[in-house]
Amino acid sequence: MKILNMTSKYLWIFLILMSCTIFSQEQKYIPYRKGNLWGLCDANGFIAVQPQYNSISGYDHSVGGFHAEQNGKFGIIDHNAVILMPFISNIPISVNDDKYLVFDGWDYYYYSVKTRIRLGKYIEPKTSFVGDRGWGNNNPLYSKHVKEIKLSWNDLDDEDLGMIQPFDNDQYELNYKLNFIEILEGSNNYIGIYIPKLKKMFLNTPEIAYVGWQYYQGKPYILTTNNSKLFGLADENSREIYPIQYSTIDLIDTYQLVILSEPDPGDYNNLIFKTILPNNKVLHGRFEPATTILKNGYPFQLYYTMINGQENYAGEDGTLYFEG
């Protein structure tokens, strides 16, 4: 059994290394922006393609490279930073039936993936009308009137009923939410919340009101607010984690990200974002997970933020792959 376990262990390591090698062949480079021009660099910041293009997309596995735009025309730069398809299309080039599909401004044409030679004109296939087959506006899955999922009285056990019993009378109003119960005195005076999952009551103070909660990395966190209409965060023992100064607080548990926004003192309609990564590195802006590439042989997570409608990238170590 010990020999089998050791064999399985080394087999698993081998498979991980193989997968990393295959993945590194797919994407080696990152779109890099300098001012208004785009190029490609690696995770260490080495420039593979000097910034010279109007835009470069994220890596597209379907075409085996990056969509680049130059003077209004699109081409493809492959994973080795070599031009795979010339800049001949008015829109990003796609793959259809194992052939490149290019739009020259007038018509769509097929190009060979192997030779990049034009093969012939693309003829759009006839399609049947499916509006009456469950895909139209009458489909209940697409209804705008989706009923909100809420707790109900039947979801509560005896301990829950004992906790809310002092508020289960005509003096108070209980509003059932997704994973907590709002407690109001009358219809205007907000008292606090009860969380059945935690078996805990959070009653407001003159300074703090509790308005929601969620798990993050296995621990519960309670959303707080006050008369400022801004938000903060507390732990399950009501200890402050973030002060009440944020317009939004997003805990993205799947990727272990915290995204905070504050009002911009110079522009009432603007928000200033910052993103806290799993390793506690802070990126200024709202960043989302992008993909994982290799850096010096090890997996390296990339994140992106939208600037002027385009994805700009940063690494898990806080490196920004854009400037200006």
Side-chain angles (χ1 to χ4, degrees), residues 275-292:
T275 302
I276 304 174
L277 303 181
N279 56 11
N280 290 323
K281 293 284 185 179
V282 177
L283 298 175
H284 294 286
R286 182 183 180 91
F287 283 81
E288 308 281 352
T291 189
T292 302

Side-chain angles (χ1 to χ4, degrees), residues 24 30 43 47 67 85 116 133 144 149 163 250 270 280:
S24 69
I30 305 164
I47 303 296
H67 299 279
M85 277 292 288
R116 271 81 76 185
R133 299 182 184 179
K144 295 181 180 179
I149 299 175
M163 293 289 288
D250 294 330
N270 188 42
N280 290 323

Side-chain angles (χ1 to χ4, degrees), residues 80-99:
N80 289 318
V82 175
I83 294 178
L84 182 63
M85 277 292 288
F87 295 81
I88 57 175
S89 183
N90 284 39
I91 63 174
I93 298 168
S94 61
V95 173
N96 185 284
D97 294 331
D98 297 324
K99 297 181 285 289

